[in-house]
């Protein structure tokens, strides 16, 4: 996997993937400690972190089905939402592979009868796999079509 040294590098990678899959993409940027979601301790009106850096956070939405949104945090991780299923703490370097896996048809839903439950399984290159529990009531048509 390619090392993404910044939030903007990850946004650029997502723009390229959206182009590959002919998806519409919208991006919203929050720059500065006073604007990012994880910097409440920075104080009011303070734009930089204690070390003088300027944190950058972005929210990316990809159009079409499945619905995918990505919140890229300044702490080198992301929260990816696929059809309402939140996948937290994805390393920033894994975000492009994760999105490509979902759009490329590699992601699937695994169901279990007892106790009943469904999981979104997203395999990545290099034997890395992410698994998130899906609430029973939120199986969208896209998720339901991928049940194994």
């Amino acid at each position: 996997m390619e090392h993404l040294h910044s939030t903007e590098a990850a946004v650029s990678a997502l723009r390229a993937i959206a182009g590959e899959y002919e998806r519409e993409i919208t991006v919203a940027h929050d720059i500065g400690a006073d604007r990012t979601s994880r910097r409440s301790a920075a104080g009011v009106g303070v734009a930089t972190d204690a070390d003088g850096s300027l944190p950058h956070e972005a929210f990316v939405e990809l159009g079409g089905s499945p619905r995918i949104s990505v919140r890229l945090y300044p702490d080198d991780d992301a929260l990816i939402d696929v059809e309402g299923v939140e996948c937290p703490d994805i390393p920033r370097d894994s975000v492009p592979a994760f999105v490509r896996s979902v759009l490329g048809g590699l992601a699937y839903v695994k169901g279990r009868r007892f106790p009943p439950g469904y999981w979104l399984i997203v395999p990545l290159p290099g034997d890395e796999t992410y698994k998130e529990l899906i609430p029973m009531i939120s199986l969208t048509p896209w998720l339901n079509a991928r049940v194994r």
Side-chain angles (χ1 to χ4, degrees), residues 1-145:
M1 268 181 255
E2 177 185 348
H3 174 64
L4 301 171
H5 58 280
S6 67
T7 298
E8 191 57 40
V11 169
S12 295
L14 289 172
R15 284 185 197 279
I17 292 168
E20 286 174 34
Y21 288 93
E22 299 177 352
R23 295 295 191 95
E24 197 173 302
I25 185 171
T26 57
V27 181
H29 296 275
D30 288 319
I31 300 174
D34 57 338
R35 302 275 315 237
T36 57
S37 63
R38 290 188 176 170
R39 298 293 200 264
S40 58
V44 177
V46 178
T48 59
D49 282 343
D51 64 359
S53 65
L54 192 62
H56 178 193
E57 182 174 296
F59 182 73
V60 179
E61 288 182 296
L62 297 173
S65 180
R67 293 184 326 260
I68 300 173
S69 66
V70 180
R71 179 165 300 280
L72 294 156
Y73 296 109
D75 302 329
D76 298 337
D77 69 326
L79 168 68
I80 301 177
D81 184 295
V82 178
E83 288 287 316
V85 180
E86 291 189 345
C87 305
D89 303 323
I90 307 295
R92 182 170 57 209
D93 291 345
S94 297
V95 168
F98 189 103
V99 172
R100 192 173 266 118
S101 180
V102 171
L103 294 177
L106 298 176
Y108 62 95
V109 174
K110 184 170 185 161
R112 190 170 69 186
R113 290 186 192 267
F114 190 79
Y118 291 97
W119 286 266
L120 174 64
I121 312 292
V122 183
L124 273 56
D127 294 332
E128 188 176 358
T129 302
Y130 289 93
K131 181 179 177 180
E132 288 299 327
L133 182 64
I134 302 171
M136 287 279 273
I137 58 171
S138 68
L139 273 183
T140 65
W142 186 87
L143 291 168
N144 200 36

